[in-house]
C-alpha cells in the first residue's frame, strides 16, 4: 500500500512540475484565446473554468468516478448556452471635426470548431500545450455532453456608414454557443495516472454587431 502511495505521489510531483513549464495561449479573462468575452445567458450561477477557485476545482475533481482503465469524466456544466464575443473585423476612428463616410464590402467566411481550454494534463508526461485534449479524452468527454459538428459561416457585407467626429465605429463578431466543463482522470489498473480539467465551447451561430464609442 505504501509503495502505491509513493508511486502516485511521484507521478503528481512530476506532473505539477511539468505543468509549470507549459506555456498558456489562453485569454486571462475567459481561458480561451479566441474569445474575448463569454456570458452565461440562463445559468448566471455557472462559472468558466478559469473563474473557479482552487477549492471548487478540487471538489470537481473529487467527483470523477474510479474505473479500471481509460479516462473517466465528470461534467460540472453540460451544454449551458452562452453568448460569446470573438473579435473585431474592423475598427475605424474619426479624429477630425468632419463626418467621414466609410464604405465596407467583403465576403467573410469562418469555420468554427469546438474550442477546448483547460489546465493541461497532470501526469508523467505533459500532453502538449495547456488546453490540448487527446483523442481518447475527447471521446470520453463527447460521450458525456454529446457530439457537435464543425460549422462554416459565410457572410456578405456591403454597407456605408457615417463616422461622426470623435467617434470610433467597430464591427464585432458575436454569437451563441454551448459551454461545458468538468474534470477527468486517467486510470491504469485502477490507479489514477493523469488528471485534467477541461472546458469546451460548441458554436451555435455567429453574427456581427456595429459598435460606436467616444474616443
Amino acid at each position: 500500500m505504501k509503495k502505491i502511495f509513493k508511486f502516485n505521489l511521484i507521478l503528481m510531483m512530476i506532473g505539477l512540475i511539468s505543468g509549470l513549464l507549459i506555456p498558456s495561449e489562453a485569454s486571462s479573462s475567459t481561458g480561451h484565446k479566441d474569445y474575448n468575452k463569454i456570458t452565461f445567458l440562463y445559468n448566471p450561477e455557472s462559472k468558466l473554468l478559469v473563474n473557479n477557485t482552487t477549492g471548487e476545482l478540487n471538489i470537481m475533481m473529487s467527483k470523477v468516478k474510479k474505473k479500471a482503465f481509460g479516462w473517466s469524466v465528470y461534467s460540472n456544466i453540460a451544454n449551458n448556452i452562452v453568448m460569446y464575443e470573438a473579435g473585431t473585423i474592423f475598427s475605424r476612428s474619426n479624429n477630425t471635426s468632419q463626418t467621414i463616410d466609410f464604405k465596407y464590402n467583403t465576403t467573410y467566411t469562418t469555420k468554427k470548431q469546438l474550442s477546448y481550454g483547460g489546465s493541461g494534463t497532470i501526469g508523467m508526461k505533459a500532453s502538449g500545450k495547456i488546453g490540448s485534449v487527446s483523442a481518447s479524452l475527447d471521446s470520453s468527454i463527447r460521450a458525456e455532453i454529446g457530439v457537435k459538428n464543425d460549422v462554416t459561416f459565410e457572410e456578405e457585407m456591403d454597407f456605408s456608414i457615417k463616422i461622426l467626429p470623435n467617434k470610433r465605429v467597430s464591427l464585432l463578431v458575436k454569437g451563441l454557443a454551448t459551454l461545458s466543463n468538468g474534470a477527468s482522470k486517467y486510470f491504469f489498473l485502477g490507479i489514477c495516472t493523469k488528471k485534467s480539467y477541461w472546458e469546451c465551447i460548441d458554436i451555435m451561430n455567429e453574427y456581427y454587431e456595429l459598435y460606436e464609442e467616444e474616443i
Side-chain angles (χ1 to χ4, degrees):
M1 189 69 181
K2 290 184 178 180
K3 289 183 178 180
I4 293 176
F5 174 77
K6 289 181 179 179
F7 177 70
N8 284 333
L9 183 60
I10 292 171
L11 288 178
M12 290 296 292
M13 290 177 66
I14 295 175
L16 288 171
I17 293 172
S18 299
L20 293 173
L21 298 176
I22 303 173
S24 174
E25 295 184 353
S27 164
S28 59
S29 61
T30 68
H32 299 265
K33 64 178 182 178
D34 295 324
Y35 301 94
N36 303 326
K37 186 176 181 181
I38 298 173
T39 305
F40 289 93
L41 294 184
Y42 309 115
N43 306 88
E45 74 285 354
S46 296
K47 293 183 179 181
L48 295 172
L49 195 65
V50 71
N51 293 331
N52 280 267
T53 65
T54 301
E56 289 170 332
L57 291 173
N58 289 338
I59 292 173
M60 199 184 302
M61 186 63 71
S62 70
K63 294 182 178 181
V64 180
K65 295 181 179 179
K66 184 177 181 179
K67 63 188 298 185
F69 293 95
W71 286 105
S72 180
V73 173
Y74 167 73
S75 297
N76 183 55
I77 296 174
N79 297 312
N80 281 194
I81 297 178
V82 298
M83 179 179 290
Y84 66 86
E85 185 176 310
T88 303
I89 295 178
F90 71 76
S91 183
R92 294 291 185 274
S93 300
N94 182 2
N95 287 304
T96 72
S97 60
Q98 305 295 320
T99 298
I100 297 176
D101 292 322
F102 176 68
K103 294 182 178 180
Y104 189 79
N105 183 294
T106 189
T107 299
Y108 185 75
T109 303
T110 56
K111 182 178 180 181
K112 294 291 186 181
Q113 296 178 315
L114 65 93
S115 169
Y116 269 115
S119 66
T121 299
I122 300 173
M124 290 188 68
K125 295 181 179 178
S127 63
K129 295 178 180 178
I130 288 180
S132 64
V133 173
S134 66
S136 59
L137 176 53
D138 176 75
S139 297
S140 298
I141 292 172
R142 287 295 156 185
E144 287 287 317
I145 67 173
V147 177
K148 300 293 175 69
N149 297 320
D150 295 347
V151 181
T152 299
F153 301 98
E154 182 171 313
E155 184 80 12
E156 292 186 8
M157 289 177 280
D158 184 1
F159 57 84
S160 298
I161 57 174
K162 293 183 180 295
I163 306 177
L164 300 176
N166 301 314
K167 296 285 187 178
R168 178 186 294 113
V169 175
S170 305
L171 185 62
L172 309 178
V173 181
K174 294 187 175 182
L176 297 178
T178 57
L179 184 144
S180 306
N181 64 29
S184 58
K185 295 179 181 179
Y186 186 84
F187 291 92
F188 180 75
L189 294 174
I191 299 173
C192 176
T193 60
K194 298 178 185 178
K195 297 180 181 180
S196 68
Y197 297 96
W198 55 269
E199 182 167 81
C200 60
I201 298 172
D202 290 296
I203 303 302
M204 297 169 60
N205 60 37
E206 182 177 272
Y207 61 89
Y208 309 94
E209 180 180 285
L210 277 172
Y211 178 75
E212 185 181 71
E213 60 185 326
E214 295 279 351
I215 57 173

